[in-house]
PDB file of all heavy atoms in Angstrom:
ATOM      1  N   LEU E 403    -162.250  36.928  -8.181  1.00 95.00           N
ATOM      2  CA  LEU E 403    -162.240  36.459  -9.572  1.00 95.00           C
ATOM      3  C   LEU E 403    -162.933  37.437 -10.525  1.00 95.00           C
ATOM      4  O   LEU E 403    -162.926  37.233 -11.737  1.00 95.00           O
ATOM      5  CB  LEU E 403    -162.955  35.100  -9.668  1.00 95.00           C
ATOM      6  CG  LEU E 403    -162.224  33.884  -9.112  1.00 95.00           C
ATOM      7  CD1 LEU E 403    -163.175  32.692  -9.038  1.00 95.00           C
ATOM      8  CD2 LEU E 403    -161.008  33.520  -9.967  1.00 95.00           C
ATOM      9  N   ALA E 404    -163.520  38.501  -9.962  1.00 95.00           N
ATOM     10  CA  ALA E 404    -164.434  39.344 -10.754  1.00 95.00           C
ATOM     11  C   ALA E 404    -163.813  39.888 -12.044  1.00 95.00           C
ATOM     12  O   ALA E 404    -164.441  39.838 -13.105  1.00 95.00           O
ATOM     13  CB  ALA E 404    -164.952  40.490  -9.884  1.00 95.00           C
ATOM     14  N   ASP E 405    -162.564  40.379 -11.985  1.00 97.00           N
ATOM     15  CA  ASP E 405    -161.952  40.962 -13.196  1.00 97.00           C
ATOM     16  C   ASP E 405    -161.756  39.897 -14.270  1.00 97.00           C
ATOM     17  O   ASP E 405    -161.961  40.137 -15.466  1.00 97.00           O
ATOM     18  CB  ASP E 405    -160.595  41.598 -12.863  1.00 97.00           C
ATOM     19  CG  ASP E 405    -160.785  42.889 -12.068  1.00 97.00           C
ATOM     20  OD1 ASP E 405    -161.944  43.368 -11.996  1.00 97.00           O
ATOM     21  OD2 ASP E 405    -159.785  43.383 -11.515  1.00 97.00           O
ATOM     22  N   LEU E 406    -161.323  38.727 -13.795  1.00 98.00           N
ATOM     23  CA  LEU E 406    -161.091  37.631 -14.747  1.00 98.00           C
ATOM     24  C   LEU E 406    -162.416  37.204 -15.380  1.00 98.00           C
ATOM     25  O   LEU E 406    -162.499  36.954 -16.583  1.00 98.00           O
ATOM     26  CB  LEU E 406    -160.446  36.433 -14.022  1.00 98.00           C
ATOM     27  CG  LEU E 406    -159.035  36.675 -13.495  1.00 98.00           C
ATOM     28  CD1 LEU E 406    -158.626  35.583 -12.508  1.00 98.00           C
ATOM     29  CD2 LEU E 406    -158.046  36.718 -14.658  1.00 98.00           C
ATOM     30  N   ILE E 407    -163.453  37.138 -14.536  1.00 97.00           N
ATOM     31  CA  ILE E 407    -164.773  36.736 -15.057  1.00 97.00           C
ATOM     32  C   ILE E 407    -165.250  37.759 -16.090  1.00 97.00           C
ATOM     33  O   ILE E 407    -165.769  37.405 -17.147  1.00 97.00           O
ATOM     34  CB  ILE E 407    -165.789  36.594 -13.895  1.00 97.00           C
ATOM     35  CG1 ILE E 407    -165.433  35.380 -13.036  1.00 97.00           C
ATOM     36  CG2 ILE E 407    -167.221  36.476 -14.429  1.00 97.00           C
ATOM     37  CD1 ILE E 407    -166.244  35.266 -11.757  1.00 97.00           C
ATOM     38  N   HIS E 408    -165.011  39.032 -15.796  1.00 97.00           N
ATOM     39  CA  HIS E 408    -165.451  40.078 -16.729  1.00 97.00           C
ATOM     40  C   HIS E 408    -164.765  39.906 -18.084  1.00 97.00           C
ATOM     41  O   HIS E 408    -165.413  39.930 -19.146  1.00 97.00           O
ATOM     42  CB  HIS E 408    -165.154  41.461 -16.129  1.00 97.00           C
ATOM     43  CG  HIS E 408    -165.655  42.578 -16.988  1.00 97.00           C
ATOM     44  ND1 HIS E 408    -164.849  43.593 -17.431  1.00 97.00           N
ATOM     45  CD2 HIS E 408    -166.869  42.817 -17.518  1.00 97.00           C
ATOM     46  CE1 HIS E 408    -165.555  44.421 -18.193  1.00 97.00           C
ATOM     47  NE2 HIS E 408    -166.791  43.974 -18.261  1.00 97.00           N
ATOM     48  N   ALA E 409    -163.447  39.684 -18.050  1.00 98.00           N
ATOM     49  CA  ALA E 409    -162.703  39.496 -19.319  1.00 98.00           C
ATOM     50  C   ALA E 409    -163.223  38.255 -20.056  1.00 98.00           C
ATOM     51  O   ALA E 409    -163.401  38.268 -21.283  1.00 98.00           O
ATOM     52  CB  ALA E 409    -161.215  39.353 -19.014  1.00 98.00           C
ATOM     53  N   TYR E 410    -163.497  37.215 -19.290  1.00 98.00           N
ATOM     54  CA  TYR E 410    -163.979  35.954 -19.889  1.00 98.00           C
ATOM     55  C   TYR E 410    -165.355  36.162 -20.539  1.00 98.00           C
ATOM     56  O   TYR E 410    -165.630  35.641 -21.628  1.00 98.00           O
ATOM     57  CB  TYR E 410    -164.045  34.902 -18.777  1.00 98.00           C
ATOM     58  CG  TYR E 410    -164.433  33.512 -19.215  1.00 98.00           C
ATOM     59  CD1 TYR E 410    -163.759  32.858 -20.250  1.00 98.00           C
ATOM     60  CD2 TYR E 410    -165.461  32.821 -18.563  1.00 98.00           C
ATOM     61  CE1 TYR E 410    -164.107  31.567 -20.626  1.00 98.00           C
ATOM     62  CE2 TYR E 410    -165.810  31.537 -18.933  1.00 98.00           C
ATOM     63  CZ  TYR E 410    -165.130  30.922 -19.970  1.00 98.00           C
ATOM     64  OH  TYR E 410    -165.474  29.640 -20.338  1.00 98.00           O
ATOM     65  N   LEU E 411    -166.186  36.972 -19.913  1.00 97.00           N
ATOM     66  CA  LEU E 411    -167.511  37.247 -20.483  1.00 97.00           C
ATOM     67  C   LEU E 411    -167.391  38.133 -21.725  1.00 97.00           C
ATOM     68  O   LEU E 411    -168.155  37.997 -22.671  1.00 97.00           O
ATOM     69  CB  LEU E 411    -168.435  37.891 -19.440  1.00 97.00           C
ATOM     70  CG  LEU E 411    -168.832  36.968 -18.270  1.00 97.00           C
ATOM     71  CD1 LEU E 411    -169.698  37.725 -17.257  1.00 97.00           C
ATOM     72  CD2 LEU E 411    -169.562  35.723 -18.757  1.00 97.00           C
ATOM     73  N   LYS E 415    -167.062  33.727 -23.366  1.00 96.00           N
ATOM     74  CA  LYS E 415    -166.677  32.401 -22.855  1.00 96.00           C
ATOM     75  C   LYS E 415    -166.044  31.511 -23.932  1.00 96.00           C
ATOM     76  O   LYS E 415    -166.072  30.286 -23.796  1.00 96.00           O
ATOM     77  CB  LYS E 415    -167.886  31.685 -22.258  1.00 96.00           C
ATOM     78  CG  LYS E 415    -168.554  32.399 -21.093  1.00 96.00           C
ATOM     79  CD  LYS E 415    -169.617  31.503 -20.528  1.00 96.00           C
ATOM     80  CE  LYS E 415    -170.507  32.236 -19.563  1.00 96.00           C
ATOM     81  NZ  LYS E 415    -171.642  31.424 -19.154  1.00 96.00           N
ATOM     82  N   MET E 425    -155.576  32.653 -19.393  1.00 98.00           N
ATOM     83  CA  MET E 425    -155.986  32.105 -18.080  1.00 98.00           C
ATOM     84  C   MET E 425    -155.650  30.628 -17.986  1.00 98.00           C
ATOM     85  O   MET E 425    -155.296  30.125 -16.919  1.00 98.00           O
ATOM     86  CB  MET E 425    -157.504  32.263 -17.894  1.00 98.00           C
ATOM     87  CG  MET E 425    -157.957  33.688 -17.744  1.00 98.00           C
ATOM     88  SD  MET E 425    -159.748  33.706 -17.578  1.00 98.00           S
ATOM     89  CE  MET E 425    -160.091  35.384 -18.056  1.00 98.00           C
ATOM     90  N   VAL E 430    -154.431  27.353 -10.766  1.00 98.00           N
ATOM     91  CA  VAL E 430    -155.145  28.067  -9.699  1.00 98.00           C
ATOM     92  C   VAL E 430    -154.168  28.404  -8.570  1.00 98.00           C
ATOM     93  O   VAL E 430    -154.236  29.496  -7.978  1.00 98.00           O
ATOM     94  CB  VAL E 430    -156.335  27.209  -9.206  1.00 98.00           C
ATOM     95  CG1 VAL E 430    -156.949  27.815  -7.954  1.00 98.00           C
ATOM     96  CG2 VAL E 430    -157.378  27.073 -10.313  1.00 98.00           C
ATOM     97  N   TRP E 433    -152.210  31.502  -9.426  1.00 98.00           N
ATOM     98  CA  TRP E 433    -153.065  32.689  -9.265  1.00 98.00           C
ATOM     99  C   TRP E 433    -153.191  33.059  -7.778  1.00 98.00           C
ATOM    100  O   TRP E 433    -153.103  34.247  -7.420  1.00 98.00           O
ATOM    101  CB  TRP E 433    -154.438  32.415  -9.882  1.00 98.00           C
ATOM    102  CG  TRP E 433    -155.443  33.482  -9.601  1.00 98.00           C
ATOM    103  CD1 TRP E 433    -155.462  34.743 -10.115  1.00 98.00           C
ATOM    104  CD2 TRP E 433    -156.565  33.400  -8.716  1.00 98.00           C
ATOM    105  NE1 TRP E 433    -156.539  35.450  -9.612  1.00 98.00           N
ATOM    106  CE2 TRP E 433    -157.236  34.646  -8.753  1.00 98.00           C
ATOM    107  CE3 TRP E 433    -157.094  32.389  -7.910  1.00 98.00           C
ATOM    108  CZ2 TRP E 433    -158.394  34.910  -8.002  1.00 98.00           C
ATOM    109  CZ3 TRP E 433    -158.236  32.636  -7.181  1.00 98.00           C
ATOM    110  CH2 TRP E 433    -158.874  33.888  -7.216  1.00 98.00           C
ATOM    111  N   PHE E 454    -163.810  19.705  -8.509  1.00 97.00           N
ATOM    112  CA  PHE E 454    -163.032  19.622  -9.751  1.00 97.00           C
ATOM    113  C   PHE E 454    -162.242  18.320  -9.855  1.00 97.00           C
ATOM    114  O   PHE E 454    -161.720  17.993 -10.909  1.00 97.00           O
ATOM    115  CB  PHE E 454    -162.053  20.801  -9.851  1.00 97.00           C
ATOM    116  CG  PHE E 454    -162.714  22.122 -10.114  1.00 97.00           C
ATOM    117  CD1 PHE E 454    -162.798  23.088  -9.121  1.00 97.00           C
ATOM    118  CD2 PHE E 454    -163.259  22.408 -11.355  1.00 97.00           C
ATOM    119  CE1 PHE E 454    -163.398  24.319  -9.364  1.00 97.00           C
ATOM    120  CE2 PHE E 454    -163.863  23.637 -11.608  1.00 97.00           C
ATOM    121  CZ  PHE E 454    -163.934  24.593 -10.608  1.00 97.00           C
ATOM    122  N   SER E 462    -156.387  24.297 -14.128  1.00 98.00           N
ATOM    123  CA  SER E 462    -156.188  25.544 -14.869  1.00 98.00           C
ATOM    124  C   SER E 462    -157.095  26.633 -14.287  1.00 98.00           C
ATOM    125  O   SER E 462    -158.244  26.359 -13.920  1.00 98.00           O
ATOM    126  CB  SER E 462    -156.498  25.269 -16.347  1.00 98.00           C
ATOM    127  OG  SER E 462    -157.345  26.250 -16.866  1.00 98.00           O
ATOM    128  N   LEU E 463    -156.579  27.852 -14.228  1.00 98.00           N
ATOM    129  CA  LEU E 463    -157.361  28.981 -13.716  1.00 98.00           C
ATOM    130  C   LEU E 463    -158.626  29.174 -14.554  1.00 98.00           C
ATOM    131  O   LEU E 463    -159.679  29.555 -14.039  1.00 98.00           O
ATOM    132  CB  LEU E 463    -156.476  30.238 -13.745  1.00 98.00           C
ATOM    133  CG  LEU E 463    -157.121  31.559 -13.332  1.00 98.00           C
ATOM    134  CD1 LEU E 463    -157.707  31.493 -11.923  1.00 98.00           C
ATOM    135  CD2 LEU E 463    -156.098  32.698 -13.435  1.00 98.00           C
ATOM    136  N   LEU E 464    -158.531  28.850 -15.848  1.00 98.00           N
ATOM    137  CA  LEU E 464    -159.688  29.002 -16.728  1.00 98.00           C
ATOM    138  C   LEU E 464    -160.874  28.163 -16.235  1.00 98.00           C
ATOM    139  O   LEU E 464    -162.023  28.604 -16.300  1.00 98.00           O
ATOM    140  CB  LEU E 464    -159.304  28.601 -18.163  1.00 98.00           C
ATOM    141  CG  LEU E 464    -160.419  28.673 -19.204  1.00 98.00           C
ATOM    142  CD1 LEU E 464    -160.980  30.077 -19.351  1.00 98.00           C
ATOM    143  CD2 LEU E 464    -159.911  28.165 -20.564  1.00 98.00           C
ATOM    144  N   ALA E 465    -160.589  26.953 -15.731  1.00 97.00           N
ATOM    145  CA  ALA E 465    -161.674  26.075 -15.263  1.00 97.00           C
ATOM    146  C   ALA E 465    -162.393  26.713 -14.071  1.00 97.00           C
ATOM    147  O   ALA E 465    -163.621  26.642 -13.960  1.00 97.00           O
ATOM    148  CB  ALA E 465    -161.105  24.713 -14.875  1.00 97.00           C
ATOM    149  N   LEU E 466    -161.628  27.356 -13.190  1.00 96.00           N
ATOM    150  CA  LEU E 466    -162.227  28.008 -12.021  1.00 96.00           C
ATOM    151  C   LEU E 466    -163.058  29.228 -12.448  1.00 96.00           C
ATOM    152  O   LEU E 466    -164.195  29.423 -11.995  1.00 96.00           O
ATOM    153  CB  LEU E 466    -161.118  28.439 -11.047  1.00 96.00           C
ATOM    154  CG  LEU E 466    -161.566  29.031  -9.721  1.00 96.00           C
ATOM    155  CD1 LEU E 466    -162.226  27.968  -8.843  1.00 96.00           C
ATOM    156  CD2 LEU E 466    -160.374  29.648  -8.965  1.00 96.00           C
ATOM    157  N   VAL E 467    -162.498  30.038 -13.350  1.00 97.00           N
ATOM    158  CA  VAL E 467    -163.202  31.231 -13.826  1.00 97.00           C
ATOM    159  C   VAL E 467    -164.486  30.812 -14.544  1.00 97.00           C
ATOM    160  O   VAL E 467    -165.553  31.394 -14.327  1.00 97.00           O
ATOM    161  CB  VAL E 467    -162.280  32.051 -14.765  1.00 97.00           C
ATOM    162  CG1 VAL E 467    -163.039  33.165 -15.460  1.00 97.00           C
ATOM    163  CG2 VAL E 467    -161.102  32.620 -13.971  1.00 97.00           C
ATOM    164  N   ASP E 468    -164.375  29.790 -15.349  1.00 96.00           N
ATOM    165  CA  ASP E 468    -165.539  29.305 -16.112  1.00 96.00           C
ATOM    166  C   ASP E 468    -166.668  28.899 -15.158  1.00 96.00           C
ATOM    167  O   ASP E 468    -167.831  29.244 -15.371  1.00 96.00           O
ATOM    168  CB  ASP E 468    -165.106  28.099 -16.963  1.00 96.00           C
ATOM    169  CG  ASP E 468    -166.249  27.532 -17.782  1.00 96.00           C
ATOM    170  OD1 ASP E 468    -166.769  28.255 -18.633  1.00 96.00           O
ATOM    171  OD2 ASP E 468    -166.642  26.382 -17.543  1.00 96.00           O
ATOM    172  N   GLN E 469    -166.327  28.226 -14.087  1.00 93.00           N
ATOM    173  CA  GLN E 469    -167.340  27.782 -13.127  1.00 93.00           C
ATOM    174  C   GLN E 469    -168.037  28.972 -12.467  1.00 93.00           C
ATOM    175  O   GLN E 469    -169.250  29.023 -12.373  1.00 93.00           O
ATOM    176  CB  GLN E 469    -166.684  26.898 -12.055  1.00 93.00           C
ATOM    177  CG  GLN E 469    -167.643  26.362 -11.026  1.00 93.00           C
ATOM    178  CD  GLN E 469    -168.767  25.536 -11.652  1.00 93.00           C
ATOM    179  OE1 GLN E 469    -168.544  24.737 -12.546  1.00 93.00           O
ATOM    180  NE2 GLN E 469    -169.990  25.757 -11.200  1.00 93.00           N
ATOM    181  N   PHE E 470    -167.228  29.937 -12.046  1.00 92.00           N
ATOM    182  CA  PHE E 470    -167.829  31.077 -11.334  1.00 92.00           C
ATOM    183  C   PHE E 470    -168.522  32.052 -12.291  1.00 92.00           C
ATOM    184  O   PHE E 470    -169.399  32.801 -11.877  1.00 92.00           O
ATOM    185  CB  PHE E 470    -166.790  31.770 -10.445  1.00 92.00           C
ATOM    186  CG  PHE E 470    -166.624  31.034  -9.141  1.00 92.00           C
ATOM    187  CD1 PHE E 470    -165.792  29.930  -9.039  1.00 92.00           C
ATOM    188  CD2 PHE E 470    -167.365  31.400  -8.028  1.00 92.00           C
ATOM    189  CE1 PHE E 470    -165.672  29.216  -7.855  1.00 92.00           C
ATOM    190  CE2 PHE E 470    -167.260  30.692  -6.834  1.00 92.00           C
ATOM    191  CZ  PHE E 470    -166.409  29.599  -6.751  1.00 92.00           C
ATOM    192  N   ALA E 471    -168.141  32.014 -13.573  1.00 92.00           N
ATOM    193  CA  ALA E 471    -168.826  32.865 -14.560  1.00 92.00           C
ATOM    194  C   ALA E 471    -170.251  32.394 -14.782  1.00 92.00           C
ATOM    195  O   ALA E 471    -171.102  33.159 -15.207  1.00 92.00           O
ATOM    196  CB  ALA E 471    -168.066  32.863 -15.884  1.00 92.00           C
ATOM    197  N   GLU E 472    -170.517  31.118 -14.512  1.00 81.00           N
ATOM    198  CA  GLU E 472    -171.881  30.587 -14.638  1.00 81.00           C
ATOM    199  C   GLU E 472    -172.752  31.063 -13.497  1.00 81.00           C
ATOM    200  O   GLU E 472    -173.965  31.043 -13.586  1.00 81.00           O
ATOM    201  CB  GLU E 472    -171.875  29.041 -14.591  1.00 81.00           C
ATOM    202  CG  GLU E 472    -171.306  28.381 -15.805  1.00 81.00           C
ATOM    203  CD  GLU E 472    -172.119  28.656 -17.053  1.00 81.00           C
ATOM    204  OE1 GLU E 472    -173.281  29.049 -16.928  1.00 81.00           O
ATOM    205  OE2 GLU E 472    -171.561  28.508 -18.151  1.00 81.00           O
ATOM    206  N   GLY E 473    -172.102  31.403 -12.385  1.00 67.00           N
ATOM    207  CA  GLY E 473    -172.803  31.603 -11.118  1.00 67.00           C
ATOM    208  C   GLY E 473    -173.874  32.676 -11.188  1.00 67.00           C
ATOM    209  O   GLY E 473    -173.677  33.736 -11.765  1.00 67.00           O
TER     210      GLY E 473
END
Side-chain angles (χ1 to χ4, degrees):
L403 287 169
D405 288 348
L406 294 166
I407 290 172
H408 184 235
Y410 184 53
L411 293 177
K415 300 186 192 172
M425 292 179 201
V430 171
W433 172 71
F454 289 108
S462 132
L463 176 57
L464 179 60
L466 185 69
V467 171
D468 180 63
Q469 181 58 43
F470 279 83
E472 289 296 341

